[in-house]
Amino acid sequence: MNEYRIKGLSCAGCAQRIEDEIKQLDHGEEAKLSYNSGKLTVHPDVSMTAINRILKSDGAYIAKQADDHHNHEHDHGDSDHDHSHGGGNSKMLKLLVTSGVLYAAALLLEGMLDQQAIILLFLMATVISGYTTFIRGLKNLFKLKFNIDTLMTIALVGAIAIGEWKEATLVAILFGLNELLEGYGMEKARRSMETLLQVAPKEAIKLEQGQERIVPISTLQVGDLVKIKPGEKIPSDGIVSDGRSSVNEAAITGESLPVEKEAGELVYGGSINNEGLLIVRIEKAYKDSSLAKILHLVQEAQETKTPTELFINKFAKYYTPLIMLIALLVMVVPPLLFQGDWMTWLYQGLSVLIVGCPCALILSSPIAIVSGITRTARNGILVKGGVFLEQLGKIDTLAFDKTGTLTKGEPHVAQMEVYDENRFFSVAGAIESSSSHPLAKAIMKEVNSKGIAIPVADDIKTLTGSGIQARMDGQTYWLGNEKTIGHLSIPESVQDRINRMKEDGLTLVLVADDQQVLGLFGIADEIREESRAVIASLHRLGIKHTVMLTGDHAKTAEKVAAAVGVSDYYGGLLPEDKVTRVKELSAQGTVAMIGDGINDAPALASAQLGIAMGKGTDSAIETADIVLMQDHLGKLPEAVSVAKRVNRIIKFNIIVSLGLKVIALLLTIPGWLTLWIAILSDMGATIFVTLVSLTILIDRKSLRKG
C-alpha cells in the first residue's frame, strides 16, 4: 500500500466523501483517508491521476509521499511541515479578508451609490469567499449527493434569488471563515502531534575500527557502537559501553528529571545526553526501538475512528437529506395550506438549510480525540487509538498486577532481628558479597548502610534449595532459609519471631554459626512510593473498584493490598487464573488491566482495556491498548482524567451543536428565524466546538505554576 500526506482537507465530512469516491476507482476498494492525520493509504495500482482529480475537486492536494513508518525521521525533517495545510489556509485567509473589505464597503456605501453598484460589490464579495463551496455544491447537486456544501449552495442561490444580498454575502463569508477555523483547529491538534514526532534524531556518529563516521540512523544495526556528545540525542535503544552522564528521557517516559547512566545501563533512542560523552552499543535497530514504536503507535492512533465518530458520520449521512426535506416543507406548506407569503417562507426555508449544516456536529469528536492523544503522549502515555481513549474515560474497575506495577519488583529488607550484632552483619556481608541473587542484593544494601568492614569468606558452598555454607576465621557459618539451620535446636523466642515474620508475608534469610542463630532478615518486595497516592487519586476520579491480582501467597497479597489501599485483592494466581478473574470482573463493569510482565499479556488481552508498564516486556507492550512509558503509575490518574475530559467535551460538543439547531429550528414556527440567526447558530457552534476541543491541549497545572 502507498501512503500520501494530504493537505487542504476542509472537514471530516469532506475527507469521508473523498475516501468514498476513491473507493469507486479500480483497485480503490481498500483506500483509507484519515482526516485526523491527513494521511491517504491506497493500492499501488490505483490511478493517481484520478485521485488527484478527486482531491482537486475538494481543494485538497498531495503534499508529498509519507514515508513508510520505519523511516519517520525523513518524514519530519521536511520544511513543508511548517506550512502544512498552511498553503490552503493562507490563500483562504487572503480571499476572506478581500471579501470582508468589499462587504464592509458595500454596507457603508449603501445609499450613496446606486443599487446596481452595491449589488455588484456584494456579488464580488460572495464570489471571492464562496466560489469553492459553490462549485463543490453544484457538482454534488448534479450527482444527487447531499452534504454541507450542497446545503450552503442551495441557501446561497436561494438568498440571491429572493434578493437578500447582504445575507447571501454573509453566508458565503462566514462559511469560508468557518472552514478556515476548522482547518486551523485540526491543524493545531495535528501540529501538536507532529512536534511529538520530531524527537527522532536524523544521524548518528558510528565508530568503526577507531574511525568516526556520520550515518543515517535507519542504517544502524544491532551491535554497532555510536558516540553521543553532550546535548545530542541518543539514536536508538542500547547499552552504555563507556562513559557516564545524565540523560533526559522525557521524550520517551514523560519524566522531566534526568536519569544518571553509566556503563552497562540501558538508554532509549530519542532521549538527550546531558553533559558527559557516552559510547553506546546499539541493542535494537532503529525501526524496532522504543521511539520508532512510539511514533508508529501515535500515528496509528490518529487514524482509528471512535464509536462516537462512526455514529456521527452515519448520522450526518441521513441528517443532511432530512434537513433539506424539512426546509422544503417550511418553504411550501405555509403558502400552500395556510395562505402564507411565498417570499417570507422561502426565506425561512433557506434559514432552515443554513441552521441544518452539520459542521459542528461532525467536528464534535475528531479534534478532541487528537488533542487527548497528544496530551497523554506528552506525558509519556501512549494511547493506541481514539477508541481506547474513549474507553479509558469509561472504566469503573482497574485490575493491577502486583510485582513491578504496585511494587518495584526489587526485594528489600523490611524487618530484622539481630541476636549478635558484631558477627551478624559481617558474616552476611562476607557470604552475600559475591552473589548476584536479588535477595543477596537486598541484604548487601542493608549491610553496606551500616558501614561495617566486610571480611573475606573461604570455602563457600551452595546448599541446594536452602542456602549457603562458608568458613571465616576457622569457624563455619550458615545463611539461608529454615532448612539451612537444621543442625540447631531453635529457642522458642527465636521460633516465635520466625513465625511472626512469616505471618507478615516476609521471605526469611537466617544467619547462624554451629551454636546459635545470629539474626534474621525479613525480606519483602518494596512497594512503590506513589502506589497509595495513585490508588487514592483513581478512587477520587470515580473508579469505584481497584483490584490487585498476584501470584504471591495470600499473606503477602493482604499486606500489600492494605498498604496501597486497593478495594480488593486475590493472591496465589497463575496467569490463567488472572484471565479468569479479569473475565469475572468484566461481567460486572468496564475493566482495565495493568501489568508489566510476560505473564500479564493474556490478562491484558482479555480486559476491555489493557495497560502496560513501558519498562515491562515487549509482549505486554504489544498486547496492551495503552502503554505507560515510565516505570511507575504516577501519570495514570492524569491519563484517566484527560480521557474523562475528552469524553465530557465530546458529549458537550454534541449537545451544543444539536441544541442550538433545535432552538433555531423552533424559531421557524412563529416565523422568527432570520438568516442572521441561522448563520450565527451554525458558525458560532462550529467555532465554539473547535475552541472547546483545543482546551484539552492546555495543561492546567503548568498554567497554575505560571
Side-chain angles (χ1 to χ4, degrees):
M1 297 294 273
N2 290 346
E3 271 178 19
Y4 300 93
R5 182 66 53 87
I6 306 298
K7 298 270 169 77
L9 289 171
S10 49
C11 67
C14 316
Q16 185 64 52
R17 190 174 61 253
I18 292 170
E19 184 186 292
D20 293 342
E21 284 187 38
I22 294 173
K23 281 183 172 168
Q24 304 299 311
L25 301 173
D26 288 345
H27 310 290
E29 38 297 319
E30 288 174 40
K32 252 173 68 189
L33 175 59
S34 162
Y35 174 59
N36 292 5
S37 63
K39 211 158 73 175
L40 170 69
T41 318
V42 286
H43 194 278
D45 298 340
V46 79
S47 155
M48 288 315 293
T49 325
I51 285 180
N52 281 320
R53 195 184 63 244
I54 292 168
L55 289 170
K56 199 173 167 196
S57 75
D58 210 85
Y61 58 96
I62 292 175
K64 65 186 174 67
Q65 185 148 358
D67 297 305
D68 124 65
H69 67 262
H70 295 329
N71 287 314
H72 277 307
E73 65 273 20
H74 310 309
D75 203 357
H76 306 299
D78 265 22
S79 61
D80 95 338
H81 268 319
D82 308 331
H83 325 293
S84 57
H85 189 107
N89 278 343
S90 58
K91 182 182 161 197
M92 187 83 175
L93 189 59
K94 283 175 195 150
L95 291 176
L96 283 172
V97 170
T98 312
S99 58
V101 169
L102 289 171
Y103 184 59
L107 290 176
L108 290 170
L109 297 170
E110 213 168 359
M112 295 184 211
L113 296 179
D114 71 320
Q115 196 55 27
Q116 299 308 107
I118 298 294
I119 286 175
L120 187 66
L121 282 174
F122 279 135
L123 189 60
M124 281 163 66
T126 306
V127 169
I128 290 171
S129 57
Y131 75 95
T132 49
T133 306
F134 188 71
I135 291 164
R136 286 200 304 255
L138 276 181
K139 282 182 182 162
N140 288 336
L141 259 180
F142 289 126
K143 292 180 191 164
L144 291 179
K145 270 194 177 168
F146 300 113
N147 66 356
I148 299 168
D149 299 325
T150 327
L151 286 182
M152 295 320 266
T153 302
I154 295 170
L156 271 178
V157 172
I160 290 168
I162 61 172
E164 294 286 353
W165 291 100
K166 271 187 226 170
E167 280 97 329
T169 314
L170 192 64
V171 167
I173 291 174
L174 281 176
F175 191 68
L177 181 67
N178 193 40
E179 285 207 346
L180 181 73
L181 286 171
E182 208 172 293
Y184 275 141
M186 197 65 216
E187 204 49 50
K188 167 83 178 117
R190 272 188 216 141
R191 195 74 63 78
S192 282
M193 187 67 85
E194 293 289 354
T195 51
L196 269 179
L197 302 181
Q198 306 246 338
V199 290
K202 314 284 176 289
E203 295 169 328
I205 303 170
K206 186 175 166 185
L207 300 177
E208 286 177 305
Q209 285 109 36
Q211 298 293 311
E212 291 182 9
R213 200 156 65 85
I214 293 178
V215 298
I217 66 164
S218 52
T219 62
L220 291 177
Q221 300 295 317
V222 176
D224 284 352
L225 278 180
V226 292
K227 177 179 178 180
I228 297 120
K229 296 176 185 167
E232 286 185 352
K233 287 177 180 169
I234 292 164
S236 189
D237 298 7
I239 302 284
V240 177
S241 75
D242 196 11
R244 284 182 76 112
S245 181
S246 67
V247 170
N248 179 344
E249 296 182 341
I252 309 294
T253 64
E255 300 287 9
S256 50
L257 291 176
V259 186
E260 294 297 326
K261 300 285 180 183
E262 54 185 42
E265 296 203 39
L266 176 72
V267 287
Y268 289 118
S271 43
I272 299 166
N273 176 19
N274 285 337
E275 64 282 318
L277 186 73
L278 289 177
I279 307 293
V280 171
R281 184 174 301 282
I282 298 297
E283 289 284 300
K284 286 181 177 176
Y286 173 70
K287 66 174 196 294
D288 301 321
S289 69
S290 309
L291 184 64
K293 271 190 188 145
I294 290 173
L295 303 189
H296 182 45
L297 290 178
V298 167
Q299 284 221 319
E300 281 196 334
Q302 294 181 77
E303 280 149 42
T304 54
K305 282 204 172 84
T306 68
T308 309
E309 262 181 287
L310 292 170
F311 166 73
I312 290 172
N313 287 352
K314 217 176 241 171
F315 180 75
K317 212 181 204 168
Y318 300 109
Y319 168 86
T320 310
L322 179 70
I323 284 289
M324 293 183 77
L325 183 65
I326 293 172
L328 185 65
L329 292 174
V330 168
M331 287 175 192
V332 299
V333 171
L336 286 178
L337 302 182
F338 306 106
Q339 285 79 50
D341 174 46
W342 277 100
M343 289 304 265
T344 308
W345 287 102
L346 193 62
Y347 180 89
Q348 290 278 307
L350 292 177
S351 305
V352 168
L353 279 183
I354 294 171
V355 166
C357 177
C359 283
L361 183 68
I362 289 171
L363 266 194
S364 296
S365 178
I367 296 181
I369 290 285
V370 172
S371 301
I373 290 173
T374 305
R375 179 67 199 282
T376 50
R378 273 192 212 150
N379 277 329
I381 295 166
L382 296 183
V383 182
K384 292 188 188 177
V387 58
F388 304 123
L389 189 68
E390 214 171 89
Q391 190 81 332
L392 181 64
K394 291 177 181 167
I395 57 167
D396 52 27
T397 304
L398 241 177
F400 296 85
D401 170 49
K402 178 184 79 75
T403 310
T405 305
L406 291 168
T407 64
K408 288 184 177 172
E410 296 166 9
H412 78 122
V413 174
Q415 290 181 25
M416 277 187 304
E417 190 66 45
V418 185
Y419 300 113
D420 182 333
E421 191 149 353
N422 288 337
R423 287 188 299 160
F424 175 56
F425 291 111
S426 58
V427 169
I431 295 176
E432 294 287 44
S433 58
S434 57
S435 171
S436 61
H437 191 282
L439 294 182
K441 283 184 182 166
I443 288 170
M444 286 312 296
K445 200 171 170 187
E446 192 62 40
V447 171
N448 290 333
S449 73
K450 302 285 180 210
I452 291 168
I454 296 169
V456 178
D458 318 313
D459 194 19
I460 296 178
K461 269 194 245 151
T462 303
L463 312 170
T464 313
S466 62
I468 297 169
Q469 184 182 329
R471 286 185 70 76
M472 271 163 58
D473 302 332
Q475 187 156 7
T476 306
Y477 292 97
W478 286 263
L479 178 146
N481 59 22
E482 284 173 278
K483 288 185 200 157
T484 318
I485 54 167
H487 60 282
L488 293 179
S489 62
I490 298 169
E492 203 170 313
S493 60
V494 176
Q495 190 60 56
D496 278 354
R497 190 74 183 103
I498 289 172
N499 295 344
R500 271 209 313 284
M501 279 190 175
K502 274 162 66 180
E503 269 172 33
D504 283 344
L506 300 174
T507 302
L508 293 193
V509 175
L510 300 96
V511 180
D513 60 12
D514 51 6
Q515 303 290 312
Q516 68 186 75
V517 175
L518 306 177
L520 355 152
F521 293 101
I523 297 175
D525 185 359
E526 194 169 349
I527 293 170
R528 293 177 184 275
E529 302 84 20
E530 76 283 351
S531 291
R532 189 170 185 88
V534 165
I535 301 286
S537 299
L538 291 169
H539 285 159
R540 277 197 301 278
L541 283 168
I543 289 171
K544 303 185 198 63
H545 203 183
T546 48
V547 185
M548 184 181 80
L549 308 175
T550 176
D552 271 1
H553 52 77
K555 276 282 171 218
T556 308
E558 183 185 355
K559 199 169 170 228
V560 174
V564 298
V566 288
S567 46
D568 233 329
Y569 68 91
Y570 298 98
L573 303 177
L574 297 169
E576 55 269 31
D577 301 331
K578 287 186 183 177
V579 173
T580 313
R581 287 287 177 207
V582 167
K583 284 184 176 160
E584 282 170 10
L585 292 167
S586 301
Q588 295 149 27
T590 311
V591 178
M593 164 79 191
I594 178 162
D596 75 324
I598 201 153
N599 60 347
D600 297 323
L604 291 176
S606 60
Q608 279 116 319
L609 195 66
I611 305 173
M613 306 285 279
K615 300 265 177 89
T617 57
D618 281 356
S619 70
I621 293 172
E622 292 293 320
T623 316
D625 308 312
I626 294 175
V627 182
L628 307 179
M629 291 312 292
Q630 313 84 15
D631 192 24
H632 60 74
L633 299 171
K635 304 264 171 135
L636 180 63
E638 194 175 347
V640 173
S641 161
V642 168
K644 283 183 179 292
R645 197 160 141 218
V646 167
N647 286 354
R648 273 200 308 275
I649 283 177
I650 291 172
K651 262 191 205 132
F652 176 72
N653 285 348
I654 292 170
I655 291 165
V656 166
S657 48
L658 286 178
L660 282 175
K661 290 187 191 321
V662 171
I663 292 165
L665 288 174
L666 289 175
L667 292 177
T668 55
I669 298 168
W672 294 345
L673 181 61
T674 66
L675 279 175
W676 302 94
I677 293 175
I679 293 163
L680 286 171
S681 80
D682 176 55
M683 307 305 163
T686 309
I687 294 164
F688 184 65
V689 158
T690 303
L691 294 175
V692 168
S693 297
L694 287 174
T695 61
I696 294 166
L697 290 169
I698 300 166
D699 187 343
R700 289 169 182 172
K701 271 190 248 166
S702 65
L703 281 181
R704 271 186 232 129
K705 283 176 201 156

